[in-house]
Amino acid sequence: LHRVAVADTAGREPGKADDDSSTGVGLQFEHDTQGYLRVLKIAAGGPAERCGMIDVGDVLVDISGQNIYVHDDPLKALRGMILGKVGTVIEFGLQKPGSGQAKQIKLRRAER
């Protein structure tokens, strides 16, 4: 697996300076061998953990109804879609490994 961090445990993009205007939901993703993005890590106490419906290994299907895989660089597109203003809602389409159906999960971006 090729591991790629999308957001650190505080919801910030790695390597970026603190910016109070954007935050995430406490998820990190990795590319698997088939090119899909899977949940690599769930930040303790973050919105993703608190919802209780997301597990490490879940496959990202879409974000707010948009297919992430139509982009030339899904990872770059993912960063831009996940990070946003504190308190705003983002919807993830996630599929459990071996499942044929995705679940839509809404998360509110949290303060750091």
Side-chain angles (χ1 to χ4, degrees), residues 19-33:
D19 178 356
D20 290 333
S21 67
S22 67
T23 189
V25 293
L27 287 173
Q28 290 182 1
F29 290 86
E30 66 182 354
H31 279 285
D32 68 14
T33 56

Side-chain angles (χ1 to χ4, degrees), residues 64 97 100 108 111-112:
S64 298
R108 187 171 307 279
E111 293 184 32
R112 296 179 220 158

Side-chain angles (χ1 to χ4, degrees), residues 5-8 10-17 22-24 76 79-80 83:
V6 173
D8 72 15
R12 293 179 296 271
E13 188 176 346
K16 293 279 184 179
S22 67
T23 189
K76 184 176 182 181
R79 286 183 184 120
L83 298 177

